Amino acid sequence: MPRPTAAQLAYGSATVVLATLSMLLLSGVTSVVGIAVIALVALCLGVLVSVKAAEPRRSPAARPATGRTDHATTSVASDRAAGSPSAETRVPASLRR
């Protein structure tokens, strides 16, 4: 297992501290069990944040711009590659001359 980077440690620690303080202030819990539960939840949240910080981000160029594909072009190209004679009959009548 690789060692955590400095950024992971900083994000995780800051998350634990800030989450613990904010949950304690907002909830008003005074019992030992309540404080322990809040600390455990904050610790789990900090681990989750530090693990997510380690995931590589995808570059915007790797995603398609519109999220759509041209199915007509794809099917005609695949039919031509397969040698199918029906590729020419798929042209709509409005485009034929």
Side-chain angles (χ1 to χ4, degrees), residues 7-28:
Q8 286 176 289
L9 290 174
Y11 288 147
S13 299
T15 302
V16 170
V17 170
L18 293 175
T20 303
L21 286 176
S22 62
M23 284 191 281
L24 284 173
L25 289 174
L26 291 174
S27 67

Side-chain angles (χ1 to χ4, degrees), residues 59-87:
S59 67
R63 291 184 296 225
T66 61
R68 293 180 13 184
T69 59
D70 189 6
H71 295 292
T73 306
T74 306
S75 64
V76 170
S78 64
D79 285 342
R80 285 185 184 156
S84 173
S86 66

